[in-house]
Amino acid sequence: MEHVTQQLNQLLTRDHAVELDRQSPLASRRELFDLPDGVVYLCGNSLGALPRSVPDRVAEVVRREWGAGLVGSWNSADWTNLSKRVARRLAPLLGVQGEDVVVGDSTSVTLFKTMVAAARLRPDRKVIVVEPTTFPTDGYVAAGVARTLGMELRWCDPADPAAAVDDDVAVLALTHVDFRTGAMFDLAAVTAAAHDAGAVVLWDLCHSTGAVPVELDAVGADFAVGCTYKYLNGGPGSPAFVWVAPRHQAQLDQPITGWWGHARPFDMVQEFEPAPGATSMQVGTPPVLALSSLEAALEAFDGVGMDELRAASLSLTDLFIALVDERLAGFEVVTPRDHARRGSQVALRHPDAYGIVQALIARGVVGDFRSPDIARFGFAPLYVTHADVHDAVEQLVAVVENEEHLDAAYSARKPVT
Ligand SMILES: Cc1ncc(COP(=O)(O)O)c(C=O)c1O
């Protein structure tokens, strides 16, 4: 028994963490990011770190394409196809084809237009199902869509969302990885169960894409939406994507019929005629600066295997959980220990979670707080190392041992927690 404990202790040393980093096939990727010295960044599930490729690319677009090229850059710099180029880069991360992906609006707007389009595929059904612990915007948008279309909103049991799907349900809208707990649904199984009941499924992949691989085509999914500023590192407020299964595209009828979703936007005709395929999900003029930042950021994924990404993510979260178990009392690991049910973050429940996160930030370890009592740590596998994980837990232990979190300075809530 003592021998086993000794072995476990060796596995939890900093040297072992450094060795795991040395062996990682993603080891060289961290160099692609501009992280401040002395900071352990465990908040890439909120805002991804800055890829080194981004500043020069954005500066070039601003100075040369916008400044010198002016309006001509829509043609000469191919701004009109920028969104399509970004979609092609995203496709392998989603297990889909680039032509079925559209990028351009915020996640909330994209959720709205996609949820309406999904509901319109089942015009005889009047219910949208959402789970009560979903990210607030998903619930708010679902309520708005239900009101707009004269439908009803039904809350499901997060333990078994498909159980709420009966003959009345048009759409089941779920977040694949829960923003608070990091718990992950079985995307394939839930999709299949909802299909058996005749519904379509809209997946929110905000906390998956770039850290947790999905195979949307292979599992026969319907719709997926996701942001690009978390694990994809597109920058604050970078635009969201939507993927539409090819089999639904001929019937696609989304509600924000803007001119960029028209079959021939520059014909400027009076009648709206939707563009073929997923392109009709486009709405208005694409955000060129934000898309340029995202396009450059996605280069960090070039040549990365999805299995490698997932293995690195699980190795980091496994180590974090093991160290918390070993070194800290009074914290509940809320995130599932089962790999099949875990995203790329670990959530710790503690009554003083807010103060703990603030005190940790003061020590250079950046996580965040989610109401009411969750300290949340994201492990972006491209740039978080096992040594980071080790150091973060060391700092967490120090905060608690020194009771730094009880300092009044750390109890004042900031606008963004
Ligand atoms: C699951 C989920 N959906 C949606 C959003 C945000 O939507 P938006 O990009 O419109 O702010 C977030 C933001 O963190 C999220 O976690």
Side-chain angles (χ1 to χ4, degrees):
M1 192 60 200
E2 201 175 304
H3 180 63
V4 174
T5 313
Q6 229 168 33
Q7 269 184 347
L8 187 69
N9 285 343
Q10 270 161 17
L11 290 179
L12 297 180
T13 61
R14 192 170 199 283
D15 283 351
H16 182 66
V18 169
E19 181 55 24
L20 288 174
D21 291 331
R22 212 184 50 77
Q23 290 169 9
S24 166
L26 299 183
S28 60
R29 299 278 157 172
R30 185 186 172 95
E31 281 312 303
L32 302 176
F33 293 86
D34 194 359
L35 285 156
D37 286 341
V39 167
V40 173
Y41 193 62
L42 303 182
C43 219
N45 54 338
S46 177
L47 175 67
L50 172 67
R52 290 190 198 277
S53 54
V54 165
D56 285 352
R57 174 77 183 124
V58 171
E60 179 187 282
V61 174
V62 170
R63 288 191 202 286
R64 194 172 60 77
E65 297 183 4
W66 176 17
L70 294 167
V71 72
S73 285
W74 284 104
N75 293 319
S76 61
D78 204 20
W79 283 350
T80 45
N81 284 311
L82 179 54
S83 160
K84 288 199 167 73
R85 291 206 301 274
V86 171
R88 277 198 294 274
R89 278 194 174 275
L90 284 173
L93 303 175
L94 301 167
V96 304
Q97 300 301 310
E99 72 249 32
D100 303 326
V101 179
V102 162
V103 195
D105 298 303
S106 75
T107 321
S108 301
V109 169
T110 308
L111 280 169
F112 177 81
K113 63 187 181 178
T114 309
M115 215 179 285
V116 170
R120 284 177 173 162
L121 291 180
R122 297 287 181 272
D124 300 337
R125 297 176 169 220
K126 291 287 166 232
V127 177
I128 299 173
V129 173
V130 182
E131 56 118 347
T133 53
T134 192
F135 189 80
T137 214
D138 298 63
Y140 304 156
V141 166
V145 170
R147 199 150 56 87
T148 305
L149 298 182
M151 297 177 76
E152 179 199 319
L153 189 64
R154 179 183 298 170
W155 301 103
C156 64
D157 176 359
D160 186 7
V165 182
D166 59 23
D167 291 355
D168 296 327
V169 174
V171 183
L172 170 63
L174 292 177
T175 297
H176 182 216
V177 174
D178 186 84
F179 79 103
R180 198 180 272 113
T181 65
M184 181 167 77
F185 285 119
D186 181 337
L187 189 147
V190 174
T191 300
H195 284 176
D196 285 347
V200 292
V201 185
L202 166 54
W203 288 104
D204 179 333
L205 300 181
C206 282
H207 287 271
S208 315
T209 316
V212 178
V214 288
E215 288 292 340
L216 297 173
D217 266 330
V219 305
D222 301 293
F223 296 92
V225 167
C227 72
T228 61
Y229 47 75
K230 300 183 191 292
Y231 296 110
L232 298 174
N233 315 305
S238 63
F241 65 83
V242 50
W243 168 81
V244 183
R247 67 180 182 285
H248 293 317
Q249 291 175 9
Q251 299 86 46
L252 203 53
D253 181 8
Q254 68 105 339
I256 315 179
T257 45
W259 70 305
W260 277 71
H262 193 281
R264 293 171 308 283
F266 283 89
D267 280 7
M268 308 270 180
V269 293
Q270 195 177 3
E271 255 332 77
F272 182 78
E273 181 192 331
T279 308
S280 68
M281 292 302 288
Q282 289 190 160
V283 176
T285 306
V288 170
L289 298 183
L291 281 169
S292 301
S293 166
L294 176 58
E295 185 181 34
L298 290 174
E299 289 169 10
F301 287 90
D302 284 353
V304 174
M306 290 298 99
D307 292 348
E308 281 173 352
L309 202 67
R310 178 63 172 156
S313 155
L314 285 172
S315 178
L316 293 165
T317 51
D318 274 347
L319 179 62
F320 186 77
I321 292 171
L323 284 164
V324 168
D325 284 346
E326 172 77 10
R327 312 258 338 250
L328 284 158
F331 287 84
E332 179 195 346
V333 177
V334 176
T335 305
R337 286 160 191 268
D338 175 5
H339 284 180
R341 294 227 44 231
R342 189 195 308 161
S344 198
Q345 73 177 53
V346 178
L348 303 180
R349 178 169 288 135
H350 190 286
D352 299 322
Y354 186 80
I356 287 170
V357 167
Q358 295 308 312
L360 258 183
I361 292 172
R363 282 177 165 269
V365 178
V366 184
D368 64 9
F369 166 82
R370 285 294 172 262
S371 184
D373 55 5
I374 297 289
R376 199 174 70 142
F377 301 96
F379 298 86
L382 287 189
Y383 54 79
V384 174
T385 63
H386 294 84
D388 283 341
V389 170
H390 192 276
D391 295 348
V393 176
E394 287 276 287
Q395 299 296 341
L396 191 49
V397 170
V399 163
V400 177
E401 276 179 4
N402 301 331
E403 298 192 336
E404 291 166 22
H405 57 291
L406 301 180
D407 189 319
Y410 299 139
S411 63
R413 294 279 172 103
K414 297 183 174 144
V416 173
T417 60

Coordinates of all heavy atoms in Angstrom, one line a residue, residues 28-59:
S28 N 5.3 21.8 -28.8 CA 5.9 23.0 -29.4 C 4.8 24.1 -29.7 O 5.1 25.2 -30.1 CB 6.5 22.6 -30.8 OG 5.5 22.0 -31.5
R29 N 3.5 23.7 -29.5 CA 2.4 24.6 -29.9 C 2.4 25.8 -29.0 O 2.0 26.9 -29.3 CB 1.1 23.9 -29.8 CG 1.0 22.8 -30.7 CD 0.6 23.2 -32.1 NE 1.0 22.2 -33.1 CZ 0.7 22.2 -34.4 NH1 0.0 23.2 -34.9 NH2 1.1 21.3 -35.2
R30 N 2.8 25.7 -27.7 CA 2.7 26.8 -26.8 C 3.5 28.0 -27.3 O 3.1 29.2 -27.1 CB 3.3 26.4 -25.4 CG 3.1 27.4 -24.3 CD 3.8 27.0 -23.1 NE 3.9 28.0 -22.1 CZ 3.0 28.2 -21.1 NH1 2.0 27.4 -21.0 NH2 3.2 29.1 -20.2
E31 N 4.6 27.7 -28.0 CA 5.4 28.8 -28.6 C 4.6 29.7 -29.6 O 5.0 30.8 -29.9 CB 6.6 28.2 -29.3 CG 7.7 27.8 -28.3 CD 8.0 28.9 -27.3 OE1 8.3 30.1 -27.7 OE2 7.9 28.7 -26.1
L32 N 3.5 29.2 -30.0 CA 2.7 29.9 -31.0 C 1.8 31.0 -30.3 O 1.1 31.7 -31.0 CB 1.8 29.0 -31.8 CG 2.5 27.9 -32.6 CD1 1.5 26.9 -33.3 CD2 3.4 28.5 -33.6
F33 N 1.9 31.0 -29.0 CA 1.0 31.9 -28.2 C 1.9 32.9 -27.4 O 2.9 32.6 -26.9 CB 0.1 31.2 -27.3 CG -0.9 30.3 -28.0 CD1 -0.6 29.1 -28.5 CD2 -2.2 30.9 -28.3 CE1 -1.5 28.3 -29.2 CE2 -3.1 30.1 -29.0 CZ -2.8 28.9 -29.5
D34 N 1.3 34.1 -27.3 CA 2.0 35.2 -26.6 C 1.5 35.3 -25.2 O 0.6 36.2 -25.0 CB 1.8 36.5 -27.4 CG 2.8 37.6 -27.0 OD1 3.6 37.3 -26.1 OD2 2.7 38.7 -27.6
L35 N 1.9 34.5 -24.3 CA 1.4 34.5 -22.9 C 2.4 35.3 -22.1 O 3.6 35.2 -22.2 CB 1.3 33.1 -22.4 CG 0.1 32.3 -23.0 CD1 0.3 30.8 -22.9 CD2 -1.2 32.7 -22.2
P36 N 1.8 36.2 -21.2 CA 2.7 37.0 -20.3 C 3.5 36.1 -19.4 O 3.1 35.0 -19.0 CB 1.7 37.8 -19.5 CG 0.4 37.6 -20.1 CD 0.4 36.4 -20.9
D37 N 4.8 36.5 -19.2 CA 5.6 35.8 -18.3 C 5.0 35.7 -16.9 O 4.4 36.6 -16.4 CB 7.0 36.5 -18.1 CG 7.9 36.3 -19.3 OD1 7.6 35.4 -20.1 OD2 8.8 37.1 -19.5
G38 N 5.2 34.5 -16.2 CA 4.7 34.4 -14.9 C 3.2 34.2 -14.7 O 2.7 34.1 -13.6
V39 N 2.5 34.0 -15.8 CA 1.1 33.8 -15.7 C 0.7 32.4 -16.1 O 1.2 31.9 -17.1 CB 0.3 34.8 -16.7 CG1 -1.2 34.4 -16.8 CG2 0.4 36.2 -16.1
V40 N -0.1 31.7 -15.3 CA -0.6 30.4 -15.7 C -2.1 30.7 -16.1 O -2.9 31.1 -15.3 CB -0.6 29.5 -14.5 CG1 -1.4 28.2 -14.8 CG2 0.8 29.1 -14.1
Y41 N -2.3 30.5 -17.4 CA -3.6 31.0 -18.0 C -4.6 29.8 -18.1 O -4.5 29.0 -19.0 CB -3.4 31.6 -19.3 CG -4.6 32.4 -19.8 CD1 -5.1 33.4 -19.0 CD2 -5.3 32.0 -20.9 CE1 -6.3 34.1 -19.4 CE2 -6.4 32.7 -21.3 CZ -6.9 33.7 -20.6 OH -8.1 34.4 -20.9
L42 N -5.5 29.7 -17.2 CA -6.5 28.6 -17.2 C -7.9 29.2 -17.4 O -8.9 28.8 -16.8 CB -6.5 27.9 -15.8 CG -5.1 27.3 -15.5 CD1 -5.2 26.5 -14.1 CD2 -4.5 26.4 -16.6
C43 N -7.9 30.2 -18.4 CA -9.2 30.8 -18.7 C -9.5 30.8 -20.2 O -10.3 31.6 -20.6 CB -9.2 32.2 -18.1 SG -10.8 32.7 -17.4
G44 N -8.8 29.9 -20.9 CA -9.1 29.8 -22.3 C -10.4 29.3 -22.7 O -10.9 29.4 -23.8
N45 N -11.2 28.9 -21.7 CA -12.6 28.5 -21.9 C -13.5 29.7 -21.8 O -14.7 29.6 -21.9 CB -13.0 27.4 -20.9 CG -12.8 27.8 -19.5 OD1 -12.0 28.6 -19.2 ND2 -13.5 27.2 -18.6
S46 N -12.9 30.9 -21.5 CA -13.7 32.1 -21.5 C -13.1 33.0 -22.7 O -13.9 33.4 -23.6 CB -13.5 32.9 -20.2 OG -14.1 34.1 -20.2
L47 N -11.9 33.3 -22.6 CA -11.2 34.1 -23.7 C -9.9 33.4 -24.0 O -9.0 33.4 -23.1 CB -11.0 35.5 -23.3 CG -10.2 36.3 -24.4 CD1 -11.0 36.5 -25.7 CD2 -9.8 37.7 -23.8
G48 N -9.7 32.9 -25.2 CA -8.5 32.2 -25.6 C -7.3 33.2 -25.6 O -7.5 34.4 -25.7
A49 N -6.1 32.6 -25.4 CA -4.9 33.5 -25.4 C -4.6 34.0 -26.8 O -5.2 33.5 -27.8 CB -3.7 32.6 -24.9
L50 N -3.7 35.0 -26.9 CA -3.3 35.6 -28.1 C -2.3 34.8 -28.9 O -1.2 34.6 -28.5 CB -2.7 37.0 -27.8 CG -2.2 37.8 -29.0 CD1 -3.2 38.2 -30.0 CD2 -1.4 39.0 -28.5
P51 N -2.7 34.3 -30.1 CA -1.7 33.6 -31.0 C -0.8 34.7 -31.6 O -1.2 35.8 -31.9 CB -2.6 33.0 -32.1 CG -4.0 33.0 -31.6 CD -4.1 34.2 -30.7
R52 N 0.5 34.3 -31.6 CA 1.5 35.3 -32.1 C 1.3 35.7 -33.6 O 1.7 36.7 -34.0 CB 2.9 34.6 -32.1 CG 3.4 34.5 -30.7 CD 4.9 34.1 -30.7 NE 5.3 33.5 -29.4 CZ 5.6 34.2 -28.3 NH1 5.7 35.5 -28.4 NH2 6.0 33.6 -27.2
S53 N 0.5 34.9 -34.3 CA 0.3 35.2 -35.7 C -0.8 36.3 -35.9 O -0.9 36.9 -37.0 CB -0.3 33.9 -36.4 OG -1.4 33.5 -35.7
V54 N -1.5 36.6 -34.8 CA -2.6 37.6 -35.0 C -2.2 39.0 -35.1 O -2.7 39.7 -36.0 CB -3.6 37.3 -33.8 CG1 -4.7 38.5 -33.8 CG2 -4.4 36.0 -34.0
P55 N -1.4 39.6 -34.2 CA -1.2 41.1 -34.3 C -0.7 41.5 -35.7 O -1.3 42.5 -36.2 CB -0.1 41.3 -33.2 CG -0.3 40.2 -32.3 CD -0.7 39.0 -33.1
D56 N 0.3 40.9 -36.3 CA 0.8 41.3 -37.6 C -0.3 41.2 -38.7 O -0.4 42.0 -39.5 CB 2.0 40.5 -38.0 CG 3.2 41.0 -37.2 OD1 3.1 42.0 -36.5 OD2 4.3 40.3 -37.3
R57 N -1.1 40.1 -38.6 CA -2.1 39.9 -39.6 C -3.2 41.0 -39.5 O -3.6 41.6 -40.5 CB -2.7 38.5 -39.4 CG -3.9 38.2 -40.3 CD -3.5 37.9 -41.7 NE -4.7 37.6 -42.5 CZ -4.9 38.3 -43.7 NH1 -4.1 39.2 -44.1 NH2 -6.0 38.0 -44.3
V58 N -3.6 41.3 -38.3 CA -4.6 42.3 -38.1 C -4.1 43.7 -38.5 O -4.7 44.5 -39.2 CB -5.2 42.3 -36.7 CG1 -6.1 43.5 -36.4 CG2 -5.9 41.0 -36.4
A59 N -2.8 44.0 -38.2 CA -2.2 45.2 -38.5 C -2.1 45.4 -40.1 O -2.4 46.4 -40.6 CB -0.8 45.3 -37.9

